Amino acid sequence: MITKDIKGIVFNILNYKDNDLIVDVFTYDYGFIQLYVKGAAKIKNKSFYIFKLFNEISFDVAKLDINGLSTYRSGSIIKVFDYTKLDYTQINCSMLVSELLVKIKETKDFDIKHYYLDLQLLLNLMQESDTLFHINYFLNKTLIILGSGLVLDECQVCGSKKEIVGFSPILSGFVCSNDRQDNMLCDKDLLLYLFNLNNIEAKVNKAYDKLVFELIYEYLVNNTGIYLQAKKYILGGI
């Protein structure tokens, strides 16, 4: 049965055989779908320009297989992800997002539509400025949907929302004045940055971009086992 008008974002592309592609698409209604696209590697093929990394597309499949390989039938571009607007760091950030989605695509138990909208917003903002803050936001959102988000709205020890005085890397959350920890981070601008990881449009001190990225990435590795090769290119580009 043909399934029509599936809306999604391309996040991984693999060459297959001579001119075919295997494409991972994150869709609004079905989650992660893998497509077999015949002939799409040929520049003269109508699908050649559709299947580019992070393009938002609408497509039909001859038979939808959520757990296997769906056969692409036809499609069109909703929005192009314009790489001409990106600098070196932004390009590396886009590679990290692609790798992250590949690693978590087997995860089933999360709010697909909410995460899709987060990804959509991230891709729009990545073509503007403050890229690494947006990546930090998205990494924390990923941790949340995997059940391991940083505690950034209350004390990790007692649950108090008052007199937050530091962030504990060991506890991976805020701590209040009554539950001070050894080696906690107390800089006010850093605490404000962390607090604003729940608000992707917040204004933060970019001097903390790298430190927060390293904190979140270490937490991601320790709690999910997800390693991202693109991490070294992002830190090298700052």
Side-chain angles (χ1 to χ4, degrees), residues 8 21 33 56 108 116-117 121 124 163 205 229:
L21 297 176
I33 293 177
E56 187 175 5
K108 304 296 184 182
Y116 182 95
L117 294 175
L121 179 58
N124 290 338
E163 297 186 35
N205 187 336
Q229 293 295 321

Side-chain angles (χ1 to χ4, degrees), residues 171-226:
L171 298 177
S172 302
F174 284 157
V175 289
C176 70
S177 58
N178 293 326
D179 296 301
R180 293 176 181 272
Q181 304 288 311
D182 293 336
N183 302 317
M184 70 180 188
L185 304 173
C186 301
D187 186 280
K188 290 183 179 180
D189 283 342
L190 173 60
L191 297 182
L192 182 62
Y193 187 115
L194 290 167
F195 178 77
N196 280 322
L197 281 179
N198 292 320
N199 178 11
I200 197 171
E201 296 180 333
K203 300 298 181 182
V204 297
N205 187 336
K206 288 177 62 62
Y208 295 98
D209 278 346
K210 182 177 178 180
L211 173 59
V212 174
F213 177 81
E214 290 177 314
L215 284 172
I216 296 177
Y217 179 75
E218 182 178 1
Y219 192 61
L220 179 75
V221 171
N222 291 339
N223 286 272
T224 69
I226 293 175

Side-chain angles (χ1 to χ4, degrees), residues 97 118-126 134-135 138 200:
V97 173
D118 275 325
L119 174 61
Q120 195 176 46
L121 179 58
L122 170 69
L123 295 177
N124 290 338
L125 292 172
M126 274 177 60
H134 298 141
I135 293 298
F138 191 69
I200 197 171

Side-chain angles (χ1 to χ4, degrees), residues 3 10 18 24 28 31 34 39 42 54 60 84 103 107 109 111 119 145 149 152 157 169 176 185 201 217 224:
T3 304
V10 175
D18 292 331
D24 287 309
Y28 188 77
Q34 193 166 63
K42 291 182 178 179
F54 294 132
D60 305 340
T84 64
K103 294 286 179 68
T107 303
D109 298 326
D111 187 337
L119 174 61
I145 67 105
L152 301 174
V157 179
C176 70
L185 304 173
E201 296 180 333
Y217 179 75
T224 69

Side-chain angles (χ1 to χ4, degrees), residues 59-72:
F59 61 97
D60 305 340
V61 294
K63 183 179 180 181
L64 181 63
D65 187 345
I66 300 298
N67 299 310
L69 196 61
S70 298
T71 302
Y72 171 80

Side-chain angles (χ1 to χ4, degrees), residues 19-61:
N19 297 297
D20 303 340
L21 297 176
I22 302 295
V23 182
D24 287 309
V25 185
F26 183 30
T27 72
Y28 188 77
D29 290 312
Y30 303 102
F32 297 104
I33 293 177
Q34 193 166 63
L35 296 177
Y36 170 62
V37 190
K38 188 173 179 61
K42 291 182 178 179
I43 195 168
K44 293 183 179 180
N45 190 288
K46 293 180 180 179
S47 302
F48 180 81
Y49 294 101
I50 294 176
F51 292 102
K52 301 299 180 184
L53 196 61
F54 294 132
N55 277 0
E56 187 175 5
I57 64 175
S58 177
F59 61 97
D60 305 340
V61 294

